[in-house]
C-alpha cells in the first residue's frame, strides 16, 4: 500500500492509495451484479487500506481527512460499486459520533479500532415500525447482564461488519447498543429483495438473548428529539451514491460508444462517436455527473464547518440539513433522467444483459426512495414559508414551529 504523510493528506495522496483499489472493484461490478455476489473480498481490500479510518485523526492511526475529502472518495467508490458507500454509511456516522464524543478511553478505543480495520453496521429499523418511533426490540436486565431481543430490517452493511449498532427500548428509553456481529444469538439474513442496490446486505437481523456488556450500551438520548448533524450526514452518503452512479453511467456510455463501429443508415455520421446527436447525449450525461458531484461537495463543505464546531450550533445544523434536503431534490432530478438517457446512444444492442446498464437506473431509483423526495420538498417549503422545524431523522418525526416569523 502507498504510504503518505497523513498530516498533510491531499486529494492526490488519497487517489494514489484508493484509486487502484476502486479500479479493481469496478472491474468486477457487472459480474457481481449478474451473480448477486456480495462484495466481501472488495470490502476486505478497503479494510486493508484503512478506508473506514478516513476521518479518524492521525494520532489514532487514521488519515484525518476533511468531510469534503471523505465524500469525494465516497463518490469515486460509488462510481466503482454503488453498493459499497451505502453499506458503509452507518460506519462513517459512528466514527463521526466518536470524534464528537468526550475525550477518554472509550472514544480512543473505537477510533483506534476503526484505524485497525473495524467496521460498524446497523440494525435500527424494524419491520412495520420504522426507524425511531416505537422499538419492539428490547434490552432487558437479567441478573448482572443485559439481553437484547428483537428483529430488525434494512440492516445495511451489517454482513460486512464486525459490530452492529442496534437500537432498542430499555424500560421505555431509547438506547443504542453495540453488538458483536458474530455473537451467540445474532442471526443475519441477506433477504433484501429490492430491484436495485442488491449487494448492500440490507436484510433482516435477529437478536435472541444476545448478551450485551454494559460498556456497549451507548446510553440515554439515542433517537431523542432535536436537530442533529447525523440526518444531513447520512443523507449525503446516499447522494454521493447517486453522484457516483451518474459518473459510472456517463463513463460506461462513453466507452460503449467509442468502441462501436455500427451506426444507422439515417445517422448523421458513419460512426456513432461522430454523430452529433450521440455526442449531445454524452455531453448531457457528463453535465449531470458534474452537477451531482458539485452539489454533494457543496453540502460537505457546510458539514465540515458544523463538525469542526463540534456540532453544537443549532443554526449551523439546520443550515446543513436544509442544504442536504435541497441537494437531494436537485441530485435526484439530475441522475434519474441521466440513467435513462444513456440508452439513447444505441439501438437494441445497448440493452444487452451482459452490459447490465440498466443497473444504473435501478440502483439510482432504489437509493432515491430513501427518505422520499416528495416529503423533503414539502418540508423545505414548510420551513421556508412558516419556520416549521425540518424533520430530523432521529427526532421521531417531531416538528416544532420556530419562534417568531421566518425572515
Amino acid at each position: 500500500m502507498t504510504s503518505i504523510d497523513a498530516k498533510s493528506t491531499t486529494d492526490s495522496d488519497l487517489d494514489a492509495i484508493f484509486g487502484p483499489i476502486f479500479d479493481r472493484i469496478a472491474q468486477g461490478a457487472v459480474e457481481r451484479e449478474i451473480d448477486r455476489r456480495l462484495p466481501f473480498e472488495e470490502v476486505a481490500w478497503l479494510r486493508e487500506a484503512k478506508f473506514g479510518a478516513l476521518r479518524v485523526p492521525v494520532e489514532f492511526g487514521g488519515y484525518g481527512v476533511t468531510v469534503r475529502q471523505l465524500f469525494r472518495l465516497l463518490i469515486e467508490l460509488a462510481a466503482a460499486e454503488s453498493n459499497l458507500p451505502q453499506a458503509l454509511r452507518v460506519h462513517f456516522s459512528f466514527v463521526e459520533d466518536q470524534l464528537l464524543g468526550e475525550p477518554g478511553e472509550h472514544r480512543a478505543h473505537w477510533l483506534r479500532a476503526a484505524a485497525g480495520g473495524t467496521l460498524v453496521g446497523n440494525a435500527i429499523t424494524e419491520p412495520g415500525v420504522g426507524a425511531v418511533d416505537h422499538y419492539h426490540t428490547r434490552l432487558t436486565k437479567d441478573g448482572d447482564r443485559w439481553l437484547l431481543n428483537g428483529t430488525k430490517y434494512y440492516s445495511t452493511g451489517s454482513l460486512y461488519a464486525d459490530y452492529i449498532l442496534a437500537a432498542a427500548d430499555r424500560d421505555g428509553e431509547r438506547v443504542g447498543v453495540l453488538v458483536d456481529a458474530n455473537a451467540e444469538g445474532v442471526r443475519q439474513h441477506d433477504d433484501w429483495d429490492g430491484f436495485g442496490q442488491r449487494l448492500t446486505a440490507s436484510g433482516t437481523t435477529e437478536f435472541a438473548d444476545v448478551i450485551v456488556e454494559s460498556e456497549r450500551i451507548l446510553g440515554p438520548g439515542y433517537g431523542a428529539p432535536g436537530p442533529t448533524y447525523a440526518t444531513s450526514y447520512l443523507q449525503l452518503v446516499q447522494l454521493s451514491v447517486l453522484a457516483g452512479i451518474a459518473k459510472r453511467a456517463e463513463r460506461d456510455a462513453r466507452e460503449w460508444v467509442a468502441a462501436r463501429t455500427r451506426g444507422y443508415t439515417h445517422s448523421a455520421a458513419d460512426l456513432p462517436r461522430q454523430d452529433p446527436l450521440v455526442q449531445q447525449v454524452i455531453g448531457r450525461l457528463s453535465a449531470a455527473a458534474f452537477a451531482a458531484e458539485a452539489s454533494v461537495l457543496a453540502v460537505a463543505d457546510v458539514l465540515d464547518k458544523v463538525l469542526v464546531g463540534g456540532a453544537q450550533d443549532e443554526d449551523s445544523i439546520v443550515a446543513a440539513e436544509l442544504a442536504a434536503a435541497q441537494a437531494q431534490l436537485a441530485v435526484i432530478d439530475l441522475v434519474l433522467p441521466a440513467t435513462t438517457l444513456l440508452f439513447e446512444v444505441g439501438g437494441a444492442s445497448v440493452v444487452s444483459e451482459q452490459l447490465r446498464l440498466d443497473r444504473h437506473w435501478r440502483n439510482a431509483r432504489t437509493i432515491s426512495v430513501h427518505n422520499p423526495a416528495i416529503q423533503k420538498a414539502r418540508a423545505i417549503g414548510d420551513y421556508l414559508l412558516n419556520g416549521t422545524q425540518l424533520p430530523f431523522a432521529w427526532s421521531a418525526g417531531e416538528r416544532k414551529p420556530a419562534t417568531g416569523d421566518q425572515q
Side-chain angles (χ1 to χ4, degrees):
M1 185 181 75
T2 305
S3 62
I4 60 173
D5 176 6
K7 292 184 179 179
S8 56
T9 307
T10 67
D11 288 346
S12 295
D13 294 327
L14 294 168
D15 289 342
I17 294 172
F18 295 108
I21 298 173
F22 295 164
D23 288 342
R24 288 171 66 196
I25 290 172
Q27 288 172 9
V30 174
E31 289 75 13
R32 284 191 299 273
E33 177 73 16
I34 292 173
D35 298 337
R36 203 185 187 281
R37 178 180 67 79
L38 296 181
F40 288 107
E41 183 178 14
E42 290 75 11
V43 170
W45 299 341
L46 295 172
R47 280 181 192 270
E48 184 180 0
K50 301 199 298 187
F51 189 76
L54 283 167
R55 286 281 291 158
V56 173
V58 175
E59 58 265 33
F60 293 105
Y63 292 102
V65 306
T66 65
V67 175
R68 180 187 179 91
Q69 287 178 301
L70 168 64
F71 279 94
R72 189 184 73 86
L73 286 177
L74 287 177
I75 292 170
E76 293 300 324
L77 177 58
E81 173 56 82
S82 69
N83 293 275
L84 287 177
Q86 186 183 356
L88 297 172
R89 185 171 73 131
V90 170
H91 170 81
F92 283 111
S93 178
F94 175 79
V95 169
E96 209 67 55
D97 285 342
Q98 306 316 302
L99 293 174
L100 294 171
E102 290 293 326
E105 185 50 40
H106 178 85
R107 174 179 181 268
H109 168 80
W110 289 109
L111 290 174
R112 291 193 189 101
T118 292
L119 295 177
V120 177
N122 93 97
I124 308 297
T125 304
E126 300 191 4
V129 177
V132 296
D133 291 329
H134 305 286
Y135 293 135
H136 293 159
T137 299
R138 296 286 185 265
L139 185 66
T140 55
K141 192 74 170 174
D142 180 44
D144 60 353
R145 62 182 187 173
W146 292 93
L147 298 180
L148 183 67
N149 286 277
T151 301
K152 299 287 188 175
Y153 196 47
Y154 301 133
S155 305
T156 305
S158 290
L159 280 170
Y160 307 122
D162 304 286
Y163 297 96
I164 301 171
L165 175 59
D169 179 282
R170 181 180 64 177
D171 297 327
E173 174 185 65
R174 290 191 294 267
V175 296
V177 297
L178 272 177
V179 180
D180 289 13
N182 61 355
E184 185 176 352
V186 176
R187 294 184 62 196
Q188 297 178 272
H189 308 274
D190 179 28
D191 55 358
W192 162 243
D193 65 351
F195 60 60
Q197 293 297 96
R198 292 170 171 171
L199 310 181
T200 55
S202 298
T204 301
T205 302
E206 299 174 280
F207 301 105
D209 287 336
V210 178
I211 298 174
V212 178
E213 303 295 333
S214 296
E215 61 267 22
R216 296 285 182 83
I217 301 173
L218 303 185
Y222 187 85
T228 169
Y229 87 93
T231 318
S232 55
Y233 191 101
L234 291 167
Q235 182 64 66
L236 197 60
V237 177
Q238 310 289 46
L239 299 186
S240 71
V241 172
L242 283 168
I245 289 171
K247 292 189 80 165
R248 177 56 60 181
E250 183 272 335
R251 196 174 307 168
D252 284 352
R254 175 161 43 90
E255 290 176 355
W256 189 81
V257 169
R260 189 165 173 78
T261 58
R262 179 170 176 260
Y264 296 95
T265 56
H266 53 287
S267 296
D270 292 332
L271 294 174
R273 67 176 181 271
Q274 295 172 343
D275 189 321
L277 295 178
V278 173
Q279 292 169 354
Q280 182 185 79
V281 171
I282 298 300
R284 290 171 64 185
L285 292 176
S286 175
F290 172 84
E293 181 171 22
S295 295
V296 170
L297 295 180
V299 181
D301 286 338
V302 178
L303 273 169
D304 255 324
K305 296 176 182 177
V306 170
L307 293 168
V308 165
Q312 296 297 312
D313 182 69
E314 185 170 317
D315 289 341
S316 297
I317 293 173
V318 171
E321 176 60 20
L322 177 61
Q326 291 168 326
Q328 178 183 356
L329 299 182
V331 170
I332 289 173
D333 283 350
L334 285 165
V335 177
L336 281 182
T339 55
T340 297
L341 179 65
L342 73 87
F343 293 99
E344 296 297 333
V345 299
S349 304
V350 80
V351 300
S352 168
E353 284 275 24
Q354 297 306 307
L355 297 174
R356 289 291 170 115
L357 293 176
D358 62 304
R359 78 186 190 279
H360 297 315
W361 182 88
R362 288 188 289 101
N363 291 338
R365 180 67 275 180
T366 300
I367 206 74
S368 296
V369 299
H370 290 69
N371 307 315
I374 57 171
Q375 301 295 343
K376 284 293 181 73
R378 184 210 57 77
I380 292 170
D382 197 9
Y383 170 76
L384 294 175
L385 289 171
N386 305 309
T388 304
Q389 180 174 293
L390 293 166
F392 289 88
W394 305 125
S395 66
E398 294 186 15
R399 299 193 301 273
K400 302 174 183 178
T403 57
D405 294 333
Q406 179 72 21
Q407 299 297 317

